[in-house]
Amino acid sequence: MHYWLMKSEPDTFGIDDLCRRAGGIEHWDGVRNYQARNMMRDQMRSGDQVFFYHSNCAEPGIAGIMEVVREGYPDFLAFDPDDPHFDPSSTPDNPRWFMVDVKYVRHLPRTITLHELKEKTELADLALVRRGNRLSIMPVTKAQWDFILALA
């Protein structure tokens, strides 16, 4: 099993939105970064655990946990000219973008803020707290995962 952190703006799609979906399942679409795409397409597996991170909000932080329930497949929104994530160079025969399906597991008892994560020397190697890292998807080690869960 692998561990991940995936970012979403709560005003666009937050953990409460995921929780309300049928079965708590939704596709994680709209990723338009090649490195993040490659992680979804090539590395994420069913059963992987994921921190749901609220970004670009008053208090960014880890709000809960989800699980990958469907491995990488073409992001069909890239094929829809009426969708904001449309990419005319991505076709069903030659998809450029991929997504995974995730399932709500639980909210954390409290949001673990970015500020708090940055203060922990044990998380100095966590991609989220390194300067200049703006990826919306990033790997988390088992040790980092366990340490963060213990903060909740």
Side-chain angles (χ1 to χ4, degrees), residues 108-152:
L108 293 182
R110 66 181 185 86
T111 297
I112 303 169
T113 67
L114 176 59
H115 177 76
E116 183 179 354
L117 295 169
K118 285 182 173 183
E119 288 181 333
K120 305 297 182 188
T121 57
E122 296 88 346
L123 297 175
D125 290 335
L126 180 68
L128 179 70
V129 302
R130 288 194 305 245
R131 292 183 67 92
N133 190 332
R134 299 187 42 87
L135 282 177
S136 62
I137 297 171
M138 55 195 68
V140 175
T141 68
K142 172 77 165 108
Q144 292 166 341
W145 180 271
D146 292 340
F147 183 84
I148 292 167
L149 282 182
L151 296 174

Side-chain angles (χ1 to χ4, degrees), residues 43-63:
Q43 297 174 317
M44 287 188 174
R45 297 292 173 252
S46 292
D48 284 359
Q49 298 296 291
V50 183
F51 283 130
F52 196 121
Y53 182 88
H54 284 167
S55 66
N56 200 22
C57 56
E59 192 158 17
I62 298 171

Side-chain angles (χ1 to χ4, degrees), residues 16 19 33 39 60 64 67 92 94 97 99 122 135 147:
D16 292 332
C19 186
N33 172 283
M39 286 184 256
E67 179 178 325
N94 189 21
W97 306 110
M99 61 178 140
E122 296 88 346
L135 282 177
F147 183 84

Side-chain angles (χ1 to χ4, degrees), residues 13 27 34 49 71 81 92 97-98 105 116 133 146 150 152:
F13 187 80
H27 52 267
Y34 289 108
Q49 298 296 291
E71 296 176 10
W97 306 110
F98 285 73
V105 173
E116 183 179 354
N133 190 332
D146 292 340

Side-chain angles (χ1 to χ4, degrees), residues 30-89:
V31 173
R32 297 297 182 263
N33 172 283
Y34 289 108
Q35 189 175 357
R37 180 231 26 212
N38 293 349
M39 286 184 256
M40 287 195 301
R41 183 190 66 194
D42 302 333
Q43 297 174 317
M44 287 188 174
R45 297 292 173 252
S46 292
D48 284 359
Q49 298 296 291
V50 183
F51 283 130
F52 196 121
Y53 182 88
H54 284 167
S55 66
N56 200 22
C57 56
E59 192 158 17
I62 298 171
I65 298 173
M66 52 190 178
E67 179 178 325
V68 175
V69 293
R70 182 177 176 194
E71 296 176 10
Y73 61 100
D75 184 339
F76 55 81
L77 297 175
F79 313 141
D80 181 356
D82 296 325
D83 191 273
H85 300 295
F86 174 64
D87 181 347
S89 63

